[in-house]
PDB file of all heavy atoms in Angstrom:
ATOM      1  N   SER X   1      -8.432   4.488   1.954  1.00 72.00           N
ATOM      2  CA  SER X   1      -7.689   5.010   0.803  1.00 72.00           C
ATOM      3  C   SER X   1      -7.247   3.872  -0.114  1.00 72.00           C
ATOM      4  O   SER X   1      -7.328   3.968  -1.339  1.00 72.00           O
ATOM      5  CB  SER X   1      -6.475   5.813   1.270  1.00 72.00           C
ATOM      6  OG  SER X   1      -6.870   6.935   2.017  1.00 72.00           O
ATOM      7  N   LEU X   2      -6.792   2.764   0.490  1.00 73.00           N
ATOM      8  CA  LEU X   2      -6.379   1.614  -0.306  1.00 73.00           C
ATOM      9  C   LEU X   2      -7.551   1.030  -1.082  1.00 73.00           C
ATOM     10  O   LEU X   2      -7.403   0.591  -2.230  1.00 73.00           O
ATOM     11  CB  LEU X   2      -5.764   0.541   0.596  1.00 73.00           C
ATOM     12  CG  LEU X   2      -4.295   0.732   0.982  1.00 73.00           C
ATOM     13  CD1 LEU X   2      -3.886  -0.273   2.038  1.00 73.00           C
ATOM     14  CD2 LEU X   2      -3.401   0.577  -0.233  1.00 73.00           C
ATOM     15  N   SER X   3      -8.735   1.007  -0.465  1.00 72.00           N
ATOM     16  CA  SER X   3      -9.899   0.465  -1.155  1.00 72.00           C
ATOM     17  C   SER X   3     -10.254   1.298  -2.384  1.00 72.00           C
ATOM     18  O   SER X   3     -10.713   0.767  -3.399  1.00 72.00           O
ATOM     19  CB  SER X   3     -11.091   0.397  -0.200  1.00 72.00           C
ATOM     20  OG  SER X   3     -11.520   1.696   0.166  1.00 72.00           O
ATOM     21  N   GLU X   4     -10.014   2.639  -2.304  1.00 70.00           N
ATOM     22  CA  GLU X   4     -10.259   3.496  -3.455  1.00 70.00           C
ATOM     23  C   GLU X   4      -9.176   3.313  -4.517  1.00 70.00           C
ATOM     24  O   GLU X   4      -9.455   3.277  -5.718  1.00 70.00           O
ATOM     25  CB  GLU X   4     -10.322   4.966  -3.026  1.00 70.00           C
ATOM     26  CG  GLU X   4     -11.479   5.306  -2.102  1.00 70.00           C
ATOM     27  CD  GLU X   4     -12.824   5.078  -2.755  1.00 70.00           C
ATOM     28  OE1 GLU X   4     -12.926   5.227  -3.990  1.00 70.00           O
ATOM     29  OE2 GLU X   4     -13.771   4.731  -2.040  1.00 70.00           O
ATOM     30  N   ILE X   5      -7.915   3.191  -4.080  1.00 70.00           N
ATOM     31  CA  ILE X   5      -6.809   3.012  -5.028  1.00 70.00           C
ATOM     32  C   ILE X   5      -6.946   1.671  -5.747  1.00 70.00           C
ATOM     33  O   ILE X   5      -6.587   1.535  -6.919  1.00 70.00           O
ATOM     34  CB  ILE X   5      -5.456   3.118  -4.288  1.00 70.00           C
ATOM     35  CG1 ILE X   5      -5.269   4.538  -3.741  1.00 70.00           C
ATOM     36  CG2 ILE X   5      -4.290   2.770  -5.210  1.00 70.00           C
ATOM     37  CD1 ILE X   5      -4.139   4.663  -2.764  1.00 70.00           C
ATOM     38  N   PHE X   6      -7.493   0.664  -5.052  1.00 71.00           N
ATOM     39  CA  PHE X   6      -7.655  -0.667  -5.645  1.00 71.00           C
ATOM     40  C   PHE X   6      -8.533  -0.618  -6.891  1.00 71.00           C
ATOM     41  O   PHE X   6      -8.328  -1.367  -7.849  1.00 71.00           O
ATOM     42  CB  PHE X   6      -8.262  -1.608  -4.604  1.00 71.00           C
ATOM     43  CG  PHE X   6      -8.405  -3.029  -5.086  1.00 71.00           C
ATOM     44  CD1 PHE X   6      -7.283  -3.821  -5.270  1.00 71.00           C
ATOM     45  CD2 PHE X   6      -9.649  -3.559  -5.364  1.00 71.00           C
ATOM     46  CE1 PHE X   6      -7.402  -5.133  -5.720  1.00 71.00           C
ATOM     47  CE2 PHE X   6      -9.785  -4.864  -5.816  1.00 71.00           C
ATOM     48  CZ  PHE X   6      -8.659  -5.653  -5.997  1.00 71.00           C
ATOM     49  N   LYS X   7      -9.510   0.300  -6.901  1.00 71.00           N
ATOM     50  CA  LYS X   7     -10.367   0.452  -8.083  1.00 71.00           C
ATOM     51  C   LYS X   7      -9.592   1.044  -9.260  1.00 71.00           C
ATOM     52  O   LYS X   7      -9.978   0.873 -10.412  1.00 71.00           O
ATOM     53  CB  LYS X   7     -11.548   1.379  -7.756  1.00 71.00           C
ATOM     54  CG  LYS X   7     -12.421   0.904  -6.610  1.00 71.00           C
ATOM     55  CD  LYS X   7     -13.440   1.979  -6.257  1.00 71.00           C
ATOM     56  CE  LYS X   7     -14.224   1.607  -5.003  1.00 71.00           C
ATOM     57  NZ  LYS X   7     -15.119   2.702  -4.576  1.00 71.00           N
ATOM     58  N   PHE X   8      -8.522   1.740  -8.950  1.00 68.00           N
ATOM     59  CA  PHE X   8      -7.787   2.498  -9.970  1.00 68.00           C
ATOM     60  C   PHE X   8      -6.573   1.728 -10.488  1.00 68.00           C
ATOM     61  O   PHE X   8      -6.337   1.664 -11.681  1.00 68.00           O
ATOM     62  CB  PHE X   8      -7.352   3.836  -9.365  1.00 68.00           C
ATOM     63  CG  PHE X   8      -6.546   4.698 -10.291  1.00 68.00           C
ATOM     64  CD1 PHE X   8      -7.152   5.349 -11.350  1.00 68.00           C
ATOM     65  CD2 PHE X   8      -5.188   4.868 -10.099  1.00 68.00           C
ATOM     66  CE1 PHE X   8      -6.414   6.137 -12.215  1.00 68.00           C
ATOM     67  CE2 PHE X   8      -4.440   5.661 -10.949  1.00 68.00           C
ATOM     68  CZ  PHE X   8      -5.061   6.296 -12.008  1.00 68.00           C
ATOM     69  N   ASN X   9      -5.822   1.123  -9.580  1.00 65.00           N
ATOM     70  CA  ASN X   9      -4.576   0.476  -9.972  1.00 65.00           C
ATOM     71  C   ASN X   9      -4.213  -0.587  -8.939  1.00 65.00           C
ATOM     72  O   ASN X   9      -3.792  -0.263  -7.832  1.00 65.00           O
ATOM     73  CB  ASN X   9      -3.462   1.522 -10.085  1.00 65.00           C
ATOM     74  CG  ASN X   9      -2.223   0.974 -10.760  1.00 65.00           C
ATOM     75  OD1 ASN X   9      -1.886  -0.191 -10.599  1.00 65.00           O
ATOM     76  ND2 ASN X   9      -1.541   1.821 -11.518  1.00 65.00           N
ATOM     77  N   THR X  10      -4.361  -1.843  -9.298  1.00 69.00           N
ATOM     78  CA  THR X  10      -4.108  -2.930  -8.338  1.00 69.00           C
ATOM     79  C   THR X  10      -2.632  -3.093  -8.045  1.00 69.00           C
ATOM     80  O   THR X  10      -2.247  -3.424  -6.919  1.00 69.00           O
ATOM     81  CB  THR X  10      -4.675  -4.253  -8.877  1.00 69.00           C
ATOM     82  OG1 THR X  10      -4.174  -4.465 -10.201  1.00 69.00           O
ATOM     83  CG2 THR X  10      -6.186  -4.211  -8.929  1.00 69.00           C
ATOM     84  N   ILE X  11      -1.764  -2.873  -9.042  1.00 75.00           N
ATOM     85  CA  ILE X  11      -0.317  -3.008  -8.813  1.00 75.00           C
ATOM     86  C   ILE X  11       0.149  -1.971  -7.804  1.00 75.00           C
ATOM     87  O   ILE X  11       0.942  -2.269  -6.896  1.00 75.00           O
ATOM     88  CB  ILE X  11       0.455  -2.852 -10.143  1.00 75.00           C
ATOM     89  CG1 ILE X  11       0.022  -3.918 -11.150  1.00 75.00           C
ATOM     90  CG2 ILE X  11       1.957  -2.924  -9.895  1.00 75.00           C
ATOM     91  CD1 ILE X  11       0.297  -5.337 -10.698  1.00 75.00           C
ATOM     92  N   MET X  12      -0.360  -0.739  -7.946  1.00 71.00           N
ATOM     93  CA  MET X  12       0.011   0.320  -7.011  1.00 71.00           C
ATOM     94  C   MET X  12      -0.399  -0.056  -5.589  1.00 71.00           C
ATOM     95  O   MET X  12       0.314   0.196  -4.623  1.00 71.00           O
ATOM     96  CB  MET X  12      -0.645   1.643  -7.408  1.00 71.00           C
ATOM     97  CG  MET X  12      -0.177   2.831  -6.581  1.00 71.00           C
ATOM     98  SD  MET X  12      -1.034   4.365  -6.995  1.00 71.00           S
ATOM     99  CE  MET X  12      -0.335   4.702  -8.608  1.00 71.00           C
ATOM    100  N   MET X  13      -1.563  -0.702  -5.462  1.00 71.00           N
ATOM    101  CA  MET X  13      -2.029  -1.091  -4.132  1.00 71.00           C
ATOM    102  C   MET X  13      -1.083  -2.107  -3.495  1.00 71.00           C
ATOM    103  O   MET X  13      -0.768  -2.018  -2.303  1.00 71.00           O
ATOM    104  CB  MET X  13      -3.439  -1.678  -4.223  1.00 71.00           C
ATOM    105  CG  MET X  13      -3.970  -2.158  -2.880  1.00 71.00           C
ATOM    106  SD  MET X  13      -5.614  -2.845  -2.993  1.00 71.00           S
ATOM    107  CE  MET X  13      -5.818  -3.407  -1.287  1.00 71.00           C
ATOM    108  N   LEU X  14      -0.601  -3.069  -4.276  1.00 76.00           N
ATOM    109  CA  LEU X  14       0.320  -4.067  -3.735  1.00 76.00           C
ATOM    110  C   LEU X  14       1.622  -3.418  -3.270  1.00 76.00           C
ATOM    111  O   LEU X  14       2.169  -3.759  -2.210  1.00 76.00           O
ATOM    112  CB  LEU X  14       0.609  -5.139  -4.790  1.00 76.00           C
ATOM    113  CG  LEU X  14      -0.570  -6.042  -5.158  1.00 76.00           C
ATOM    114  CD1 LEU X  14      -0.194  -6.980  -6.295  1.00 76.00           C
ATOM    115  CD2 LEU X  14      -1.027  -6.846  -3.947  1.00 76.00           C
ATOM    116  N   VAL X  15       2.120  -2.457  -4.064  1.00 76.00           N
ATOM    117  CA  VAL X  15       3.343  -1.751  -3.670  1.00 76.00           C
ATOM    118  C   VAL X  15       3.093  -0.947  -2.394  1.00 76.00           C
ATOM    119  O   VAL X  15       3.947  -0.896  -1.492  1.00 76.00           O
ATOM    120  CB  VAL X  15       3.816  -0.827  -4.815  1.00 76.00           C
ATOM    121  CG1 VAL X  15       5.033  -0.015  -4.390  1.00 76.00           C
ATOM    122  CG2 VAL X  15       4.144  -1.658  -6.050  1.00 76.00           C
ATOM    123  N   MET X  16       1.901  -0.330  -2.285  1.00 72.00           N
ATOM    124  CA  MET X  16       1.545   0.431  -1.086  1.00 72.00           C
ATOM    125  C   MET X  16       1.550  -0.460   0.152  1.00 72.00           C
ATOM    126  O   MET X  16       2.027  -0.064   1.224  1.00 72.00           O
ATOM    127  CB  MET X  16       0.155   1.044  -1.246  1.00 72.00           C
ATOM    128  CG  MET X  16       0.104   2.183  -2.230  1.00 72.00           C
ATOM    129  SD  MET X  16       0.903   3.638  -1.560  1.00 72.00           S
ATOM    130  CE  MET X  16       0.534   4.802  -2.846  1.00 72.00           C
ATOM    131  N   LEU X  17       1.000  -1.656   0.031  1.00 75.00           N
ATOM    132  CA  LEU X  17       0.966  -2.578   1.178  1.00 75.00           C
ATOM    133  C   LEU X  17       2.381  -2.928   1.633  1.00 75.00           C
ATOM    134  O   LEU X  17       2.657  -3.027   2.830  1.00 75.00           O
ATOM    135  CB  LEU X  17       0.190  -3.841   0.808  1.00 75.00           C
ATOM    136  CG  LEU X  17      -1.324  -3.676   0.669  1.00 75.00           C
ATOM    137  CD1 LEU X  17      -1.953  -4.917   0.069  1.00 75.00           C
ATOM    138  CD2 LEU X  17      -1.940  -3.378   2.035  1.00 75.00           C
ATOM    139  N   MET X  18       3.282  -3.114   0.670  1.00 76.00           N
ATOM    140  CA  MET X  18       4.666  -3.398   1.024  1.00 76.00           C
ATOM    141  C   MET X  18       5.299  -2.207   1.741  1.00 76.00           C
ATOM    142  O   MET X  18       6.030  -2.368   2.726  1.00 76.00           O
ATOM    143  CB  MET X  18       5.459  -3.735  -0.237  1.00 76.00           C
ATOM    144  CG  MET X  18       6.897  -4.143   0.034  1.00 76.00           C
ATOM    145  SD  MET X  18       7.843  -4.400  -1.469  1.00 76.00           S
ATOM    146  CE  MET X  18       8.073  -2.714  -2.012  1.00 76.00           C
ATOM    147  N   MET X  19       4.991  -0.980   1.269  1.00 73.00           N
ATOM    148  CA  MET X  19       5.542   0.207   1.895  1.00 73.00           C
ATOM    149  C   MET X  19       4.970   0.407   3.299  1.00 73.00           C
ATOM    150  O   MET X  19       5.665   0.887   4.199  1.00 73.00           O
ATOM    151  CB  MET X  19       5.253   1.436   1.035  1.00 73.00           C
ATOM    152  CG  MET X  19       5.843   1.389  -0.360  1.00 73.00           C
ATOM    153  SD  MET X  19       7.623   1.155  -0.389  1.00 73.00           S
ATOM    154  CE  MET X  19       8.194   2.716   0.256  1.00 73.00           C
ATOM    155  N   MET X  20       3.700   0.028   3.504  1.00 72.00           N
ATOM    156  CA  MET X  20       3.119   0.123   4.848  1.00 72.00           C
ATOM    157  C   MET X  20       3.851  -0.797   5.812  1.00 72.00           C
ATOM    158  O   MET X  20       4.054  -0.466   6.987  1.00 72.00           O
ATOM    159  CB  MET X  20       1.631  -0.226   4.815  1.00 72.00           C
ATOM    160  CG  MET X  20       0.768   0.843   4.170  1.00 72.00           C
ATOM    161  SD  MET X  20      -0.939   0.334   3.975  1.00 72.00           S
ATOM    162  CE  MET X  20      -1.472   0.321   5.685  1.00 72.00           C
ATOM    163  N   PHE X  21       4.275  -1.948   5.323  1.00 75.00           N
ATOM    164  CA  PHE X  21       5.070  -2.859   6.165  1.00 75.00           C
ATOM    165  C   PHE X  21       6.394  -2.200   6.543  1.00 75.00           C
ATOM    166  O   PHE X  21       6.860  -2.316   7.684  1.00 75.00           O
ATOM    167  CB  PHE X  21       5.313  -4.168   5.415  1.00 75.00           C
ATOM    168  CG  PHE X  21       6.286  -5.081   6.099  1.00 75.00           C
ATOM    169  CD1 PHE X  21       5.945  -5.705   7.297  1.00 75.00           C
ATOM    170  CD2 PHE X  21       7.540  -5.314   5.566  1.00 75.00           C
ATOM    171  CE1 PHE X  21       6.849  -6.535   7.937  1.00 75.00           C
ATOM    172  CE2 PHE X  21       8.444  -6.135   6.201  1.00 75.00           C
ATOM    173  CZ  PHE X  21       8.092  -6.761   7.390  1.00 75.00           C
ATOM    174  N   LEU X  22       6.997  -1.466   5.595  1.00 71.00           N
ATOM    175  CA  LEU X  22       8.238  -0.748   5.903  1.00 71.00           C
ATOM    176  C   LEU X  22       8.007   0.314   6.982  1.00 71.00           C
ATOM    177  O   LEU X  22       8.855   0.514   7.857  1.00 71.00           O
ATOM    178  CB  LEU X  22       8.784  -0.075   4.642  1.00 71.00           C
ATOM    179  CG  LEU X  22       9.517  -0.956   3.633  1.00 71.00           C
ATOM    180  CD1 LEU X  22      10.001  -0.125   2.465  1.00 71.00           C
ATOM    181  CD2 LEU X  22      10.673  -1.679   4.288  1.00 71.00           C
ATOM    182  N   SER X  23       6.852   0.995   6.936  1.00 69.00           N
ATOM    183  CA  SER X  23       6.577   2.007   7.954  1.00 69.00           C
ATOM    184  C   SER X  23       6.465   1.365   9.333  1.00 69.00           C
ATOM    185  O   SER X  23       6.881   1.942  10.343  1.00 69.00           O
ATOM    186  CB  SER X  23       5.296   2.772   7.619  1.00 69.00           C
ATOM    187  OG  SER X  23       4.146   2.040   7.960  1.00 69.00           O
ATOM    188  N   ALA X  24       5.896   0.147   9.400  1.00 71.00           N
ATOM    189  CA  ALA X  24       5.827  -0.557  10.694  1.00 71.00           C
ATOM    190  C   ALA X  24       7.228  -0.863  11.211  1.00 71.00           C
ATOM    191  O   ALA X  24       7.500  -0.796  12.411  1.00 71.00           O
ATOM    192  CB  ALA X  24       5.014  -1.840  10.541  1.00 71.00           C
ATOM    193  N   LEU X  25       8.155  -1.189  10.294  1.00 73.00           N
ATOM    194  CA  LEU X  25       9.536  -1.448  10.714  1.00 73.00           C
ATOM    195  C   LEU X  25      10.188  -0.190  11.271  1.00 73.00           C
ATOM    196  O   LEU X  25      10.950  -0.249  12.237  1.00 73.00           O
ATOM    197  CB  LEU X  25      10.356  -1.972   9.530  1.00 73.00           C
ATOM    198  CG  LEU X  25      10.045  -3.386   9.029  1.00 73.00           C
ATOM    199  CD1 LEU X  25      10.959  -3.733   7.873  1.00 73.00           C
ATOM    200  CD2 LEU X  25      10.212  -4.401  10.151  1.00 73.00           C
ATOM    201  N   THR X  26       9.908   0.946  10.655  1.00 69.00           N
ATOM    202  CA  THR X  26      10.547   2.173  11.118  1.00 69.00           C
ATOM    203  C   THR X  26      10.065   2.548  12.516  1.00 69.00           C
ATOM    204  O   THR X  26      10.851   2.982  13.356  1.00 69.00           O
ATOM    205  CB  THR X  26      10.247   3.337  10.161  1.00 69.00           C
ATOM    206  OG1 THR X  26       8.839   3.508  10.064  1.00 69.00           O
ATOM    207  CG2 THR X  26      10.800   3.063   8.788  1.00 69.00           C
ATOM    208  N   PHE X  27       8.768   2.350  12.789  1.00 68.00           N
ATOM    209  CA  PHE X  27       8.263   2.680  14.117  1.00 68.00           C
ATOM    210  C   PHE X  27       8.632   1.629  15.160  1.00 68.00           C
ATOM    211  O   PHE X  27       8.380   1.822  16.346  1.00 68.00           O
ATOM    212  CB  PHE X  27       6.742   2.878  14.077  1.00 68.00           C
ATOM    213  CG  PHE X  27       6.345   4.213  13.523  1.00 68.00           C
ATOM    214  CD1 PHE X  27       5.886   4.333  12.225  1.00 68.00           C
ATOM    215  CD2 PHE X  27       6.469   5.358  14.291  1.00 68.00           C
ATOM    216  CE1 PHE X  27       5.539   5.574  11.712  1.00 68.00           C
ATOM    217  CE2 PHE X  27       6.130   6.603  13.784  1.00 68.00           C
ATOM    218  CZ  PHE X  27       5.660   6.704  12.491  1.00 68.00           C
ATOM    219  N   SER X  28       9.221   0.520  14.718  1.00 71.00           N
ATOM    220  CA  SER X  28       9.691  -0.467  15.698  1.00 71.00           C
ATOM    221  C   SER X  28      10.817   0.119  16.549  1.00 71.00           C
ATOM    222  O   SER X  28      11.135  -0.409  17.612  1.00 71.00           O
ATOM    223  CB  SER X  28      10.166  -1.731  14.983  1.00 71.00           C
ATOM    224  OG  SER X  28      11.276  -1.451  14.147  1.00 71.00           O
TER     225      SER X  28
END
C-alpha cells in the first residue's frame, strides 16, 4: 500500500511511516 501511495504523494508516505512507528509503540 505504501509503494502505491508513494506514487501519489511522498509527504503522505513519510507521515504514514511515522504513524506505523506509533502503532508499534501501542502494541508494545
Side-chain angles (χ1 to χ4, degrees):
S1 297
L2 278 171
S3 67
E4 296 297 329
I5 295 168
F6 183 71
K7 301 173 187 174
F8 178 73
N9 192 325
T10 52
I11 300 298
M12 187 183 289
M13 178 180 175
L14 292 175
V15 176
M16 288 288 185
L17 288 170
M18 184 185 73
M19 299 303 291
M20 288 173 70
F21 171 69
L22 282 181
S23 79
L25 290 181
T26 58
F27 282 102
S28 63

